[in-house]
Amino acid sequence: MQIKTPKTHRGKRELEKRAPKLVENGKKTLILHGTKTSAVLNTVLTEIYHLKRGSAIKYSKKNDNIRPFESGGETSLEFFSLKTDCSLFVFGSHSKKRPNNLVLGRTYDNHIYDLVEVGVDNFRSMESFVYDKKLTPKIGTKPFFAFIGDNFESSEELKHLKEVLLDLFRGEVVENLNLAGVDRVFMCTALSSTTVFMSHCALRLKRSGTSVPRMELVEVGPSMDLVVRRHRLPNESLKKEAMKAAPDQPKKIKNVTSDVVQGKVGTIYIPDQQVGGMPLSNKVRGLKRERRVAKKNNSGGEDQSKKRKANPE
Amino acid sequence: MAEERSRSYQIDLGNLMAYDPSHHFDSIPSSREELIMVCLQKGTELVQEIANALFSLPSTEDPDGPIIKLPPPTTKLPREKHLPKPKPLTKWELFAQMKGIKKHKKNKRVWDEQTGTWKRTHGYDRANDDKDIPIIEAKPTDEPGEDPFAKRKAEKKQRVDKQEKNRLENLKKAAKVGALPSHIQLAATALPVTGTQKEAPKKASKEDLENVAGFAATATASGGKFDKKLPGEKPPKHTGKYRKFLPVVEGKGMGAQEKQQTEKILNQLLAKSSHEILDVNKAVTMFNVKKEKQRKKEKETSSSTPSKLKTKKKPLKSSSKKPVKKSSKTKH
């Protein structure tokens, strides 16, 4: 065995960026496609890449051995996720059976966590929208989300899709937000139990006379209908492990105080000893003898009863 | 009315998300424009709701704009990687803990007695360095012909190597738990290539030798049939073929066997997967016949027909049946 360490500081920093952390940095997205794509799908992938610019990596070569839902078809995907340090992926493929197919998925520890497959319908690209260019959302701003429709709760697939979409587009979890920088919304409406109309809108903040500005949505695209096809939820144990949160502050220590003179002082509470309810063990000598005597006295009578039973024959 | 609505919205301010679970499309608008209009209207309401909550948070002024502090997100999303695992204690740390040895910080600078100056504790040009001693006094215990300088150097090297070995052991232990520091990798130096390694070959076990001898004995065209047996040689363990192929061509005997085999499997499969193949009429009649038979049997046993049956049985096993007869009498 040999200990291998990075030769440069830069390399070391790069490795430290990828190490598991208590508070994680934002998830990166890998965008790639299968052997065959369509014009629509190409645009969809490019525009998702534009929306996620800064935290996304786009692969342009075709991949013939990625089939996320099949066993054995995820190996190279998992390898790419490891290589690029991406834990979200968008995989496009186009076939006769499943035209304009998008597989959205997440990985945990560089292994596939869950998958949702959606078909893209009624796609309108960014370029086809006409609006005031001043409103164009900036790169890397924190988006709003508006989910509309009871199907996001009642339908298992849409519930899953909602979570994945939120994870995909929400960006980094931030503590401080600049209110001047809010400029985009992802609006998702459930049309049926499997269809979602998703649209990317810009925000126009208008004066309302109060401190809260009046919001106005301007569609800037892309907009599309997502039809859920297949989906795979994470298994319970994996989910439980992945949902583990970083432990907060250490637990409050009770009954320990520090004293200037005595140093560390502990208080101990002892409940009253309840003698009455204490179980006595069978090995008490006195009891044993009593029982022995009782047995002796009883034994004669018992034998008789037995004989009586045996007699009628 | 508006208040009632807002109550039904679910707002996750950490993710800037609002969700309206009450909305339902009874009939989706026929034209696309109409649909988008409805959605935009609904979306605006939701976004306004988020903004109301957002802009009411206390903000601090900044040249770039007002900055607010967001609460942590309420929607739980999975982690990207597992939580970092705690590093196990090294062997020394364990020992020190057991003995109660505490770590003390050393000064960076130490008084050097040889030169009479302050020098670094560690590293280049350090204080009290063995290397700097130009003369080593001879002792009566010294062996003649041994270079004390070389010996000192070798000892130092040994100590360094030992430390390196300990470090590797500790890292291996950490790697087992999965708590290896992120910038360190443990890699196999090289795969052992046959013939290159000097170490003595492992002693072959009895079983291995037997196996090899068996292979050698059967590695002839006849499978070792006509070879001379060595004294004490046992017959090969596994003689004959490993796999038997049945002939595919149909005929008598073996040919039919192949067909039978496949048919059996097919029948099993079909019987399990499909119930359409079951002939219900036949099954019902079979069931009925079986029931009838059972009933008859029961009748025979329960209704004592001593006259016919017993007379027949008597002459056959007269001696052995006696106790049975008695018991039957006592019953009645």
Side-chain angles (χ1 to χ4, degrees):
Chain A
M1 284 293 224
Q2 187 192 15
I3 303 167
K4 272 175 94 181
T5 44
K7 298 278 180 296
T8 58
H9 268 285
R10 195 178 164 195
K12 191 180 173 184
R13 255 179 277 138
E14 208 55 43
L15 283 174
E16 265 161 14
K17 261 185 225 165
R18 289 164 174 235
K21 296 182 194 81
L22 264 185
V23 179
E24 295 189 312
N25 26 18
K27 291 180 176 183
K28 288 204 305 187
T29 312
L30 181 66
I31 298 166
L32 69 177
H33 58 79
T35 39
K36 216 178 133 196
T37 53
S38 58
V40 172
L41 211 56
N42 279 336
T43 348
V44 170
L45 291 178
T46 325
E47 301 206 340
I48 289 175
Y49 178 58
H50 280 310
L51 292 177
K52 299 255 339 157
R53 187 155 264 191
S55 65
I57 292 164
K58 189 167 184 293
Y59 276 8
S60 56
K61 274 188 192 169
K62 51 182 161 185
N63 300 289
D64 56 350
N65 48 3
I66 295 182
R67 279 171 193 83
F69 279 95
E70 289 165 28
S71 66
E74 75 274 15
T75 26
S76 65
L77 193 62
E78 282 172 357
F79 170 69
F80 290 146
S81 132
L82 175 73
K83 190 182 166 194
T84 55
D85 193 31
C86 290
S87 58
L88 292 162
F89 64 86
V90 179
F91 175 74
S93 64
H94 182 73
S95 67
K96 199 173 177 185
K97 192 176 178 187
R98 299 196 180 86
N100 297 331
N101 205 33
L102 270 188
V103 181
L104 313 174
R106 295 182 280 184
T107 63
Y108 173 72
D109 266 348
N110 300 314
H111 289 292
I112 287 182
Y113 176 76
D114 62 352
L115 297 166
V116 192
E117 190 177 56
V118 290
V120 178
D121 270 347
N122 298 327
F123 176 70
R124 267 188 83 188
S125 78
M126 282 176 185
E127 285 158 16
S128 64
F129 287 92
V130 183
Y131 56 94
D132 183 6
K133 291 292 173 199
K134 274 183 206 162
L135 290 173
T136 320
K138 311 279 183 299
I139 288 171
T141 53
K142 183 103 178 145
F144 280 50
F145 287 93
F147 289 97
I148 304 155
D150 55 350
N151 280 321
F152 279 118
E153 219 160 49
S154 56
S155 161
E156 192 68 26
E157 292 115 334
L158 289 201
K159 200 174 175 184
H160 189 196
L161 182 67
K162 180 186 163 208
E163 198 188 311
V164 172
L165 283 178
L166 182 66
D167 211 356
L168 182 63
F169 288 114
R170 71 165 174 170
E172 257 179 76
V173 176
V174 291
E175 210 169 66
N176 296 316
L177 183 76
N178 189 347
L179 286 179
V182 291
D183 57 359
R184 61 165 87 188
V185 188
F186 284 101
M187 193 178 66
C188 304
T189 319
L191 302 181
S192 71
S193 64
T194 53
T195 318
V196 171
F197 165 61
M198 195 183 101
S199 175
H200 179 227
C201 303
L203 271 178
R204 182 188 280 154
L205 278 67
K206 286 197 160 179
R207 284 205 189 92
S208 66
T210 60
S211 63
V212 183
R214 195 158 59 80
M215 297 298 193
E216 212 179 270
L217 301 192
V218 181
E219 239 191 329
V220 293
S223 93
M224 55 190 127
D225 280 0
L226 304 174
V227 186
V228 180
R229 284 172 181 158
R230 292 180 285 182
H231 78 132
R232 193 168 83 196
L233 287 166
N235 65 9
E236 276 309 308
S237 57
L238 187 70
K239 191 177 175 186
K240 203 175 163 193
E241 210 196 312
M243 287 295 184
K244 265 183 196 168
D248 297 336
Q249 288 86 26
K251 265 188 184 174
K252 195 188 163 193
I253 300 160
K254 279 181 172 179
N255 304 331
V256 177
T257 49
S258 56
D259 197 287
V260 185
V261 187
Q262 290 166 298
K264 207 172 175 184
V265 178
T267 323
I268 300 169
Y269 297 96
I270 298 172
D272 290 337
Q273 199 179 3
Q274 290 178 331
V275 185
M278 222 153 58
L280 291 171
S281 72
N282 281 334
K283 281 183 181 172
V284 181
R285 274 214 154 170
L287 255 183
K288 227 177 186 177
R289 172 183 267 174
E290 248 175 40
R291 211 179 288 161
R292 222 184 297 140
V293 172
K295 216 176 188 181
K296 225 179 214 174
N297 290 343
N298 279 349
S299 60
E302 256 182 31
D303 281 357
Q304 276 179 5
S305 69
K306 267 184 188 171
K307 268 178 195 169
R308 223 173 285 147
K309 266 184 190 171
N311 262 347
E313 274 277 324
Chain B
M1 191 69 185
E3 268 185 28
E4 262 178 47
R5 263 188 209 158
S6 72
R7 251 176 248 157
S8 69
Y9 296 156
Q10 294 168 12
I11 293 178
D12 177 8
L13 215 52
N15 284 328
L16 299 179
M17 186 197 80
Y19 171 44
D20 178 11
S22 60
H23 186 264
H24 183 76
F25 275 111
D26 291 323
S27 60
I28 294 162
S30 53
S31 76
R32 189 81 181 162
E33 285 79 40
E34 213 174 308
L35 171 73
I36 291 168
M37 274 296 293
V38 175
C39 290
L40 275 181
Q41 198 189 338
K42 199 77 202 158
T44 316
E45 260 177 56
L46 278 173
V47 170
Q48 189 65 51
E49 210 56 48
I50 306 172
N52 286 347
L54 204 64
F55 280 82
S56 59
L57 288 173
S59 64
T60 51
E61 275 307 319
D62 196 78
D64 298 331
I67 287 176
I68 53 157
K69 215 171 168 223
L70 278 181
T74 52
T75 316
K76 289 270 173 289
L77 292 172
R79 290 177 66 83
E80 183 183 10
K81 279 159 198 156
H82 61 81
L83 282 168
K85 282 161 188 156
K87 200 172 139 261
L89 293 177
T90 62
K91 213 167 180 184
W92 163 254
E93 277 167 343
L94 275 173
F95 179 76
Q97 208 178 44
M98 197 177 74
K99 292 277 177 187
I101 300 166
K102 269 178 193 157
K103 211 174 175 179
H104 289 292
K105 260 199 172 171
K106 276 185 186 170
N107 275 336
K108 272 192 172 179
R109 294 248 161 196
V110 197
W111 179 254
D112 186 28
E113 281 167 12
Q114 289 169 27
T115 53
T117 50
W118 289 93
K119 281 192 169 181
R120 290 189 189 88
T121 320
H122 305 286
Y124 173 74
D125 195 22
R126 69 187 170 97
N128 308 322
D129 194 352
D130 283 348
K131 270 187 199 164
D132 295 340
I133 301 169
I135 299 160
I136 302 173
E137 274 184 40
K139 278 178 262 172
T141 53
D142 278 351
E143 266 180 53
E146 199 185 45
D147 183 3
F149 293 98
K151 193 186 165 196
R152 199 171 56 191
K153 214 174 168 183
E155 272 172 1
K156 167 87 180 170
K157 193 170 179 296
Q158 227 173 11
R159 270 178 278 142
V160 170
D161 285 349
K162 195 183 163 219
Q163 172 54 26
E164 196 60 18
K165 208 189 101 213
N166 289 346
R167 184 178 166 227
L168 183 62
E169 283 306 310
N170 285 325
L171 283 175
K172 268 188 200 168
K173 210 170 80 180
K176 224 176 226 177
V177 198
L180 207 62
S182 61
H183 62 278
I184 290 177
Q185 276 184 320
L186 292 181
T189 40
L191 284 171
V193 180
T194 44
T196 55
Q197 250 163 355
K198 282 176 192 169
E199 65 186 43
K202 215 172 75 185
K203 210 178 172 187
S205 68
K206 194 186 164 191
E207 207 177 32
D208 288 340
L209 286 174
E210 265 175 4
N211 278 340
V212 171
F215 282 135
T218 54
T220 58
S222 63
K225 198 178 175 183
F226 303 108
D227 290 354
K228 233 184 217 170
K229 285 266 166 3
L230 289 168
E233 192 187 333
K234 281 174 194 167
K237 269 180 198 165
H238 188 94
T239 52
K241 288 166 188 169
Y242 281 84
R243 217 179 137 185
K244 200 160 70 182
F245 291 98
L246 295 167
V248 204
V249 183
E250 214 174 326
K252 276 182 183 176
M254 293 286 267
Q257 208 179 340
E258 215 262 351
K259 197 181 168 188
Q260 269 173 16
Q261 230 174 42
T262 41
E263 256 175 5
K264 198 180 162 193
I265 293 166
L266 200 67
N267 279 341
Q268 269 177 354
L269 281 175
L270 288 172
K272 233 179 228 177
S273 60
S274 132
H275 13 258
E276 282 159 20
I277 285 173
L278 182 79
D279 190 348
V280 179
N281 284 335
K282 201 177 174 185
V284 168
T285 48
M286 263 171 83
F287 180 75
N288 284 342
V289 167
K290 221 181 217 174
K291 223 177 177 182
E292 194 65 35
K293 266 185 187 169
Q294 211 175 351
R295 208 185 294 151
K296 260 185 192 170
K297 229 183 221 174
E298 272 174 15
K299 246 186 190 173
E300 275 171 11
T301 49
S302 66
S303 66
S304 57
T305 48
S307 56
K308 279 181 187 175
L309 280 170
K310 272 172 191 173
T311 46
K312 269 180 190 174
K313 272 181 187 174
K314 251 184 183 176
L316 283 170
K317 288 176 189 175
S318 55
S319 60
S320 64
K321 283 279 164 173
K322 262 179 187 173
V324 180
K325 230 172 124 188
K326 256 186 191 172
S327 70
S328 68
K329 264 184 186 174
T330 46
K331 260 186 192 173
H332 289 286

